[in-house]
Amino acid sequence: MEQREIGSGLSVATVGLGTWSVFDHGPDRQANADGVVTAMLRDGCALFDSSPMYGRAEAVLGAALAGRRDQAIVATKIWTPSVEEGRAQFARQLDWYGGRVDVEQVHNLVSWHAHLEWMAEERAAGRIGLLGATHYSPGAFDELARVMRSGLIQMVQVPLNPDERQVEDEILPLAEELGLGVLVMRPLGSGRLGAGPPAAELRPLGVESWAEAVLVWALSDPRVTAVIPATANAEHAVANARAARHPGLGKDDRRRIEALWRAR
Ligand SMILES: NC(=O)c1ccc[n+]([C@@H]2O[C@H](COP(=O)([O-])OP(=O)(O)OC[C@H]3O[C@@H](n4cnc5c(N)ncnc54)[C@H](OP(=O)(O)O)[C@@H]3O)[C@@H](O)[C@H]2O)c1
C-alpha cells in the first residue's frame, strides 16, 4: 500500500502532509515545519499539500524544502475569483517551489473553468505536473462531479473519515470510472479523530495508534490515492507515516474501526 498512482503516471506515497493551520502559527513555526518535513521525507512520504488560503504555510513549506525540493511532490492550490490574481499566486508558488508545482488544484472550485484554462497552458509548458480540484462540502459535490467529467483534471481532493463518508455515494465511484486520483483532506476530521480507543484494542488490527487506525481505514478504500493529515508535531508525522506501510484492512476490520469510534 506504499505507493499509488495519483494520475497520468505520477505515483505518490499513500500518506502525505496537509499544512492548513499547522504551518502558520507561533514563533517556532519554521523550526516545527522543518522537523515535520524532515520526518516525512525520512519515511518516504514526500507529498505536501498547501494553499494560498493557509496564511504563510506555502512560504514556510518552500523554506522547509530548501535544498531538498527534488525529493518532494508539492500539491498546492489557486484560490481567488480573479484570473489575474490566480496567475500572481502561481508566480509566487514558482518562486517558493523551484519553478514547478507538481499538483495544482482549484481550491473550493472558485472560478474553476477560467483557472483551468490557463493552468492547462502552464501544464503544457511543464510548470505544472497534474491539475486537480478540491471541495470540502457535500453541497458542492454535484459541481465537483461536473468538473471531474469535464476531462480538465487528473485528480480531486475531498474529505473522508469514519464521520464524513458522503464521497462514497458519487465522487469515489466517479473517480474510479474516470481514472482520477483522490487525495483525502481532513482524514482525522481536523483533529476530532486524532485520539480514540487505547492502543491495546488496536494492535490486533496491526496499528499502534488511533490516528494510524483512522488513516489506514481511509487507505483501505482502493479508490483513495493518499491521505494528507496535517500536523505541526514531528512525532505525529512519524505515527501517521506508519499508515503507508500497513498492508490494508479487510471489510470486517474496517467495520471494527467504525464500531470502535461509535462506542468511544
Ligand atoms: N481544500 C479544502 O477545502 C481543504 C479543507 C480542509 C483541509 N484541506 C487539506 O487537508 C489537510 C488535512 O485536513 P485538516 O488539516 O483539516 O485536518 P486533519 O489532517 O484531519 O487533522 C489535523 C489535526 O490532527 C492532529 N493530528 C495529526 N496527526 C495526529 C496524530 N498522529 N495524533 C493525534 N493528533 C494528530 C493535528 O494536530 P497536531 O499538530 O498536534 O498533530 C491537527 O490538529 C489540510 O491541512 C489541508 O492541506 C483542504
Side-chain angles (χ1 to χ4, degrees):
M1 212 164 73
E2 284 191 50
Q3 293 264 332
R4 288 184 187 162
E5 191 179 308
I6 191 172
S8 310
L10 177 65
S11 289
V12 293
T14 51
V15 178
L17 180 78
T19 63
W20 176 62
S21 90
V22 290
F23 274 20
D24 188 41
H25 299 309
D28 299 331
R29 64 177 170 270
Q30 189 64 56
N32 284 342
D34 293 349
V36 169
V37 167
T38 298
M40 294 297 287
L41 289 175
R42 198 187 300 125
D43 277 339
C45 293
L47 171 69
F48 301 95
D49 179 78
S50 196
S51 170
M53 189 200 266
Y54 306 161
R56 282 163 291 201
E58 284 188 301
V60 168
L61 175 63
L65 290 174
R68 48 188 179 174
R69 168 67 180 94
D70 57 336
Q71 297 173 44
I73 294 173
V74 173
T76 191
K77 310 186 188 86
I78 299 298
W79 179 59
T80 168
S82 148
V83 166
E84 193 186 355
E85 172 54 18
R87 285 186 179 277
Q89 291 178 355
F90 182 59
R92 290 193 286 276
Q93 293 165 354
L94 292 180
D95 281 346
W96 289 320
Y97 306 128
R100 180 181 160 87
V101 171
D102 302 296
V103 182
E104 188 70 274
Q105 306 155 95
V106 180
H107 199 149
N108 289 352
L109 304 181
V110 179
S111 296
W112 63 268
H113 205 277
H115 287 314
L116 285 171
E117 220 165 82
W118 67 262
M119 286 161 65
E121 289 165 13
E122 295 295 343
R123 184 173 184 233
R127 288 185 286 270
I128 291 176
L130 300 179
L131 298 177
T134 81
H135 214 291
Y136 64 92
S137 168
F141 288 170
D142 284 348
E143 191 179 1
L144 181 61
R146 277 197 294 282
V147 185
M148 293 166 76
R149 288 198 183 89
S150 73
L152 297 172
I153 60 173
Q154 293 78 50
M155 50 80 51
V156 288
Q157 183 182 143
V158 286
L160 177 67
N161 61 59
D163 267 353
E164 280 183 286
R165 304 183 60 172
Q166 296 90 339
V167 288
E168 292 174 342
D169 297 340
E170 185 186 3
I171 298 298
L172 293 183
L174 186 59
E176 184 177 35
E177 180 192 323
L178 298 171
L180 302 187
V182 176
L183 296 186
V184 167
M185 67 168 78
R186 284 204 310 242
L188 300 174
S190 295
R192 208 173 54 257
L193 285 89
E201 290 194 48
L202 305 173
R203 288 209 186 94
L205 300 169
V207 298
E208 287 189 357
S209 68
W210 178 247
E212 184 190 350
V214 175
L215 299 178
V216 169
W217 177 89
L219 291 172
S220 298
D221 185 320
R223 298 166 297 188
V224 168
T225 309
V227 292
I228 49 167
T231 184
N233 177 325
E235 283 176 24
H236 284 172
V238 170
N240 296 345
R242 269 183 58 90
R245 301 190 289 276
H246 194 283
L249 298 168
K251 222 179 188 173
D252 290 349
D253 284 344
R254 276 188 109 217
R255 296 295 92 86
R256 172 94 187 115
I257 288 176
E258 292 156 24
L260 283 169
W261 179 245
R262 281 196 300 272
R264 73 198 180 281

